[in-house]
Amino acid sequence: MKPKPFLGRNLADIGILVLLVIAASAVFVGEIVSVRSGPLDSTLFKALEFGLSIAIGWVSQRIAAREEFQRSL
């Protein structure tokens, strides 16, 4: 049985990762461009950045774990 190539195994996760990076970039640009910067706005941006960074790390770890498992086979 021939193993699938890297993109074949991880295409969905890479797509999700790209979308998360684009969303994180949009939040970051929105924070910079934002005219009003009250305490609630700041908290919202920090919470969004925190959540997106956890999601990016989780998806990246899934890809790395899948590749490590494939190598161990």
Side-chain angles (χ1 to χ4, degrees):
M1 183 169 158
K2 186 176 180 183
K4 289 182 180 179
F6 176 79
L7 283 177
R9 286 189 303 267
N10 300 308
L11 187 60
D13 286 336
I14 291 172
I16 292 170
L17 186 62
V18 167
L19 289 175
L20 287 170
V21 169
I22 291 170
S25 300
V27 168
F28 183 68
V29 168
E31 183 178 13
I32 291 173
V33 175
S34 175
V35 175
R36 298 169 59 202
S37 116
L40 291 178
D41 294 339
S42 178
T43 304
L44 174 66
F45 282 121
K46 286 179 185 178
L48 286 172
E49 289 170 353
F50 179 71
L52 287 169
S53 67
I54 287 178
I56 289 169
W58 179 63
V59 172
S60 299
Q61 183 59 36
R62 275 182 56 144
I63 293 170
R66 186 175 290 130
E67 289 305 306
E68 185 64 32
F69 176 75
Q70 190 65 31
R71 264 183 267 154
S72 72
L73 290 177

